Amino acid sequence: MATPLLFRRIIRASTIATLATVLALALSFFLTPTPSLYGSKTFSSAVYDRHGQLLRLTLAEDQRYRLFTPLSAIQPAAIEATLLYEDRWFRYHPGINPVALVRASWQTFVTRQRSVGASTISMQLARMRFSIDSSSIGGKLAQIYRALQLEWHYSKTDILEAYLNLAPYGGNIEGLGTASLIYFNKNADALTLIESLSLIVIPQNPLARAPVHSNASPNDHARNDDVAIDARQRAFALWLTRHPDDAHWSDQMQLALHTRRRQQLPFSAPHFVDHLLAKNGPGSWHSSLDQQQQQQIEQQILEYVLNRKADGIDNAAVLLIDTRDTSVAAWAGSANWFNNDIHGQVDGVTAKRSPGSTLKPFIYAQALDQGLIHPQSLLADLPTRFGAYTPENFDRGYFGPISAQDALIYSRNVPAVALANQLNPDFYTFLDSAGITPLRERDFYGLAIALGGVEVTMLELSQLYASLANDGEAYPIALTLDDAAPRPGTRLFSKEAAFITSSMLAENPRPFTSSHLRHNKLTNKEPVTVAWKTGTSWAFRDAWSVGLFGHYLVAVWVGNFDGSGNPALVGSTAAAPLLFRIVDQLSATTNIESVNNSLRGTRIGGLNVKKVSVCAASGDLPNKHCPKTKSTWYIPGTSPIRVSSVHQQVQIDENGLRSCHLNNPRNTTKVMEFWPSDFLALFKLAGLPHKQPPAYAPGCALSDIDQQGIAPRIQSPSARVEYTLRANQGAENKIPLQAVTDAGAQTVFWFADNRFIASAKATETVEWSPKPGRYVVRAVDDLGHSDSVNVTVRLLPEG
């Protein structure tokens, strides 16, 4: 009796244990957190050019090519064929196929016949997702459990999508979309029927059916091709059961397809792709870059640095922007990404460098908006001290009087600094609003900011220049087609200032290069107009050239990433030739005829600009005595337009002096040039001395003197400066008195609070030794004109 009782107790205990186990499994099945379909698996990134050409496919973190492809982006025939070949009852079973499981178990474990697969797509996904070894009974049970769990938590569509993204397609390639891109160089939604069937048979036996390594032997290629074709034909036979009309594919199904190997994947525009992925993160990105133009520019750089190797030039960076949407069309960060000798993996497009004179156009654009100049305004190019800063020109020489347009074209430093000194808001504020970052405090740069004292990236510089082509508005530079969609910009200056600045830069004559001749021979037409500027940084470390033509902007940098200088690194001779090689090649292969209209003065619709004739000598409106005029753009209501007073008609008596008796028959009438004293000094400095008008004849009273001309302009002292006297320096405490006078003025009289200080010739400087206090300093010329300024002088205590 004991034995049956013991047996019943064992049965009861086993039943309770079994029920507890089932209950525990059931609870874990329903109560455990929803398992992720992909777990910790990461995905590859794919970057395409604007035409859909693959630039790079990256590896996932586990060194596999695994590109996420939504089900909607996969050819429907490939999806249907996968279900037909792998799991035709997928839409109906709960994750496992009981009939197939029983049949497979019977043949595998009872009759010991050939193993028959019974894994559904859900089970295959569970095995891949949870890394299950399903070769044992325990592993198979775990696979079944996980498959049921996935089916409970996810839709059939989610499970099928995950399977098609994780299934093996040979080597380290996972996912049908990845395989389509690697093997056939196309997206999965563009697969043909034969390509679809070639792919869907691989997961069952990736080693035998996937295209082999490019270095494999011919026998290996032939063997895999035969196995793959045999499997594809079986899949095609299944396909014909549902699609008999596709029988015309039969002959092609017997042929091996040409496929690309992993080792043949492109590695294009590496600096650009690195920057895009660092900025946007992993994913599939359709960039704005044009692969053909990228290759053209890379080839031009390689040829150029090879030709200039004797000059020590071996590296360059180029950025091509489509100004219509401010998107990147080409991006070459160095001459050779793989060359470690030039630090080729450093990106010259994003590196901070001194821009030299390339920022000057934006000083002129600000000056145009603030009413300081128009293109023919005369500026002074002479040695000038701005506080403690004394800028020099690149050639160490001075032009004297020069028009604003010529000062910009010839990149004169002194006029640019003088204009920057007058800007309000200043140039620092402009750069800050333009997004140049990071900027140090304003006083760190001073006026040197106008000449490249602040470092910028090529991206930042290109965004500034693109604003000239976009009516003064700056837009973030787009890397992808989505980024290039219409978006808000930042207004940097008026569209009128943008137009006039571009027009001035377009007058800069292009350097004569061999590419000029080559372009003419290829196209049988004159090169396009380019609005361009160069820059050279201090110590010849960076050579720049930036140009606008048609709907493109090209920025070129030539230099060394280690910061070493080279006398050959001059913008006009090192960077400009490469810029024009690129311009000429692009203009020969791209329709950019609109450039001439946009830069030669016909882009005036909707602009508040007009052309006006000005006196060629002064840049002001011509009076009746001006002998020669030229046209210039101006902004009505803003530009400084006044009537020129340089050419004046005077009466000369028999002694060669100016007569104050205008009706004297012995007088002769002459038209003479009356230049202010500062410009007379400029002409003399430039080696172009001008004859001054003669003095008035003795006995002429002020009431008899012609009151044409300009009043004195006091240059020193300045109301903006508080002057300090040092108690222990005595006679050395002197302030210079200097004024710009009319050409007809001979003498200037200086007063402090109506107390006479001294008199001097109009071109001379007087030294004044004041005491601490506040003064009204006045300059009066011998023609009766005057100017005054309030001056503060304080005493600095000893010690």
Side-chain angles (χ1 to χ4, degrees):
M1 295 296 293
T3 300
L5 179 61
L6 178 62
F7 182 75
R8 286 197 300 272
R9 289 178 177 176
I10 293 173
I11 294 296
R12 188 182 304 119
S14 299
T15 302
I16 293 173
T18 302
L19 291 174
T21 301
V22 171
L23 179 61
L25 288 173
L27 289 174
S28 67
F29 186 87
F30 294 109
L31 299 180
T32 53
T34 303
S36 167
L37 275 175
Y38 300 99
S40 60
K41 295 183 184 294
T42 58
F43 288 90
S44 301
S45 292
V47 180
Y48 306 87
D49 86 337
R50 65 168 57 240
H51 304 296
Q53 291 296 312
L54 181 67
L55 298 175
R56 189 194 301 178
L57 180 65
T58 70
L59 288 164
E61 292 179 5
D62 57 0
Q63 300 303 299
R64 294 182 178 275
Y65 289 108
R66 186 189 301 116
L67 181 67
F68 180 78
T69 308
L71 203 62
S72 59
I74 297 177
Q75 170 62 243
I79 298 174
E80 183 181 352
T82 296
L83 295 177
L84 189 61
Y85 192 74
E86 292 284 352
D87 188 359
R88 69 184 67 185
W89 304 106
F90 173 75
R91 299 291 185 187
Y92 309 103
H93 61 61
I96 60 173
N97 186 332
V99 176
L101 276 176
V102 170
R103 182 177 67 249
S105 299
W106 181 264
Q107 292 185 0
T108 301
F109 300 111
V110 179
T111 66
R112 304 291 181 176
Q113 298 178 6
R114 180 177 61 88
S115 296
V116 176
S119 294
T120 63
I121 282 178
S122 304
M123 292 173 66
Q124 293 182 58
L125 175 61
R127 175 176 51 80
M128 293 183 292
R129 160 63 181 86
F130 297 101
S131 302
I132 297 172
D133 180 4
S134 60
S135 60
S136 65
I137 295 178
K140 182 61 69 174
L141 292 175
Q143 182 184 19
I144 292 172
Y145 169 76
R146 287 297 190 180
L148 293 172
Q149 188 182 40
L150 290 176
E151 288 273 355
W152 176 260
H153 290 288
Y154 292 98
S155 69
K156 289 287 187 180
T157 298
D158 292 336
I159 291 172
L160 181 58
E161 181 178 79
Y163 168 79
L164 289 173
N165 275 286
L166 296 180
Y169 286 85
N172 61 343
I173 299 172
E174 293 185 1
L176 188 141
T178 314
S180 174
L181 189 61
I182 292 177
Y183 294 142
F184 299 120
N185 193 26
K186 60 174 61 176
N187 293 328
D189 58 358
L191 289 169
T192 64
L193 179 60
I194 187 172
E195 291 168 342
S196 296
L197 295 181
S198 297
L199 292 180
I200 64 100
V201 300
I202 294 177
Q204 282 193 6
N205 193 349
L207 185 63
R209 298 177 183 177
V212 297
H213 192 283
S214 58
N215 295 327
S217 68
N219 290 336
D220 290 337
H221 280 284
R223 183 175 61 252
N224 273 43
D225 286 344
D226 291 342
V227 173
I229 290 172
D230 183 62
R232 184 175 65 206
Q233 287 182 312
R234 291 198 301 272
F236 183 56
L238 289 173
W239 179 265
L240 289 179
T241 61
R242 294 189 181 180
H243 301 278
D245 292 342
D246 287 333
H248 62 276
W249 284 93
S250 297
D251 292 339
Q252 294 186 50
M253 291 294 168
Q254 302 176 37
L255 303 176
L257 293 181
H258 175 73
T259 57
R260 178 170 63 182
R261 307 300 194 261
R262 287 165 291 170
Q263 297 75 22
Q264 298 170 323
L265 283 171
F267 188 77
S268 303
H271 297 96
F272 171 76
V273 173
D274 284 349
H275 181 78
L276 187 152
L277 293 177
K279 181 175 183 290
N280 291 8
S284 293
W285 302 105
H286 291 270
S287 77
S288 60
L289 188 132
D290 187 301
Q291 172 78 312
Q292 180 180 357
Q293 292 178 337
Q294 176 75 20
Q295 293 173 346
Q296 290 175 340
I297 285 175
E298 288 177 352
Q299 185 62 33
Q300 286 291 344
I301 295 174
L302 285 175
E303 292 178 1
Y304 183 74
V305 297
L306 182 63
N307 293 337
R308 298 296 301 272
K309 191 173 183 63
D311 298 322
I313 293 175
D314 55 15
N315 204 2
V318 173
L319 183 64
L320 179 67
I321 300 294
D322 188 327
T323 57
R324 293 173 297 185
D325 55 13
T326 322
S327 65
V328 173
W331 175 314
S334 69
N336 187 344
W337 196 86
F338 297 98
N339 188 342
N340 291 329
D341 292 337
I342 62 170
H343 309 284
Q345 294 185 23
V346 175
D347 190 351
V349 175
T350 58
K352 286 282 188 179
R353 312 292 298 187
S354 168
S357 295
T358 56
L359 293 179
K360 286 178 182 174
F362 308 103
I363 294 174
Y364 285 78
Q366 273 192 287
L368 286 165
D369 265 343
Q370 295 183 21
L372 300 178
I373 59 168
H374 58 72
Q376 294 304 319
S377 295
L378 276 190
L379 303 178
D381 182 20
L382 79 164
T384 307
R385 186 178 183 86
F386 300 90
Y389 180 51
T390 306
E392 291 183 335
N393 289 310
F394 181 77
D395 58 7
R396 303 295 178 88
Y398 300 91
F399 280 13
I402 187 172
S403 70
Q405 177 170 294
D406 285 345
L408 176 57
I409 288 175
Y410 295 111
S411 200
R412 309 309 292 173
N413 289 343
V414 175
V417 173
L419 283 178
N421 190 46
Q422 300 176 62
L423 294 177
N424 185 22
D426 62 8
F427 195 52
Y428 178 95
T429 302
F430 170 83
L431 294 178
D432 186 44
S433 65
I436 305 301
T437 57
L439 286 175
R440 301 180 69 167
E441 62 275 8
R442 179 181 273 99
D443 292 341
F444 175 82
Y445 302 106
L447 289 173
I449 197 172
L451 305 181
V454 58
E455 291 187 335
V456 301
T457 67
M458 184 180 284
L459 271 178
E460 292 171 331
L461 189 62
S462 298
Q463 185 170 307
L464 285 176
Y465 273 84
S467 69
L468 294 175
N470 287 308
D471 293 333
E473 284 197 85
Y475 297 90
I477 291 181
L479 306 179
T480 68
L481 294 179
D482 288 340
D483 294 340
R487 55 203 186 278
T490 301
R491 178 156 298 284
L492 301 182
F493 34 79
S494 70
K495 55 186 178 180
E496 291 77 17
F499 167 74
I500 294 176
T501 303
S502 299
S503 299
M504 290 195 291
L505 292 173
E507 297 298 326
N508 192 4
R510 64 183 290 158
F512 185 82
T513 63
S514 59
S515 68
H516 187 160
L517 297 176
R518 186 164 59 250
H519 177 274
N520 289 345
K521 290 179 181 178
L522 289 174
T523 63
N524 196 29
K525 61 183 179 181
E526 282 299 308
V528 296
T529 300
V530 184
W532 63 289
K533 185 73 184 71
T534 61
T536 305
S537 70
W538 183 80
F540 303 102
R541 291 187 173 96
D542 309 275
W544 292 89
S545 189
V546 187
L548 291 161
F549 66 108
H551 56 270
Y552 288 114
L553 177 154
V554 178
V556 173
W557 170 87
V558 179
N560 301 300
F561 288 141
D562 62 6
S564 59
N566 179 352
L569 293 177
V570 177
S572 59
T573 57
L578 177 55
L579 180 140
F580 281 96
R581 286 171 66 108
I582 293 169
V583 167
D584 289 341
Q585 181 171 42
L586 291 178
S587 63
T589 58
T590 309
N591 181 20
I592 52 175
E593 294 298 327
S594 61
V595 64
N596 295 318
N597 293 333
S598 65
L599 296 178
R600 284 297 187 186
T602 59
R603 192 190 71 184
I604 58 175
L607 296 181
N608 180 33
V609 294
K610 292 184 179 180
K611 269 204 167 180
V612 62
S613 293
V614 295
C615 188
S618 65
D620 294 328
L621 293 174
N623 62 13
K624 62 181 180 180
H625 302 302
C626 177
K628 184 180 180 180
T629 62
K630 62 170 61 174
S631 63
T632 188
W633 292 105
Y634 80 105
I635 307 173
T638 300
S639 298
I641 297 295
R642 56 181 177 270
V643 177
S644 175
S645 60
V646 169
H647 298 91
Q648 299 180 25
Q649 182 174 283
V650 296
Q651 298 286 325
I652 305 298
D653 66 15
E654 63 272 21
N655 296 317
L657 299 175
R658 292 179 67 180
S659 174
C660 52
H661 303 292
L662 302 184
N663 296 322
N664 188 336
R666 292 191 296 273
N667 290 348
T668 58
T669 301
K670 291 185 177 181
V671 173
M672 305 190 74
E673 292 185 4
F674 284 72
W675 288 99
S677 58
D678 56 344
F679 277 96
L680 288 173
L682 284 177
F683 285 125
K684 184 177 180 180
L685 182 68
L688 302 169
H690 276 51
K691 185 178 180 181
Q692 291 183 257
Y696 276 95
C700 287
L702 282 178
S703 59
D704 299 325
I705 292 175
D706 186 359
Q707 293 299 306
Q708 293 187 76
I710 64 170
R713 296 195 309 273
I714 296 177
Q715 291 187 312
S716 178
S718 171
R720 298 169 62 181
V721 176
E722 186 177 81
Y723 294 87
T724 302
L725 306 179
R726 296 184 179 275
N728 58 354
Q729 291 190 355
E732 296 182 11
N733 288 319
K734 295 181 179 180
I735 297 175
L737 305 179
Q738 187 178 21
V740 174
T741 63
D742 185 73
Q746 303 294 316
T747 305
V748 177
F749 303 91
W750 291 93
F751 299 86
D753 292 339
N754 296 320
R755 180 175 61 83
F756 178 72
I757 299 174
S759 63
K761 291 183 179 180
T763 56
E764 293 180 346
T765 299
V766 172
E767 291 187 337
W768 173 42
S769 300
K771 295 181 179 180
R774 297 180 183 274
Y775 299 89
V776 177
V777 175
R778 180 174 286 103
V780 181
D781 66 22
D782 54 359
L783 301 179
H785 302 134
S786 66
D787 187 25
S788 63
V789 63
N790 295 316
V791 178
T792 300
V793 181
R794 68 183 183 89
L795 181 65
L796 184 66
E798 293 187 43

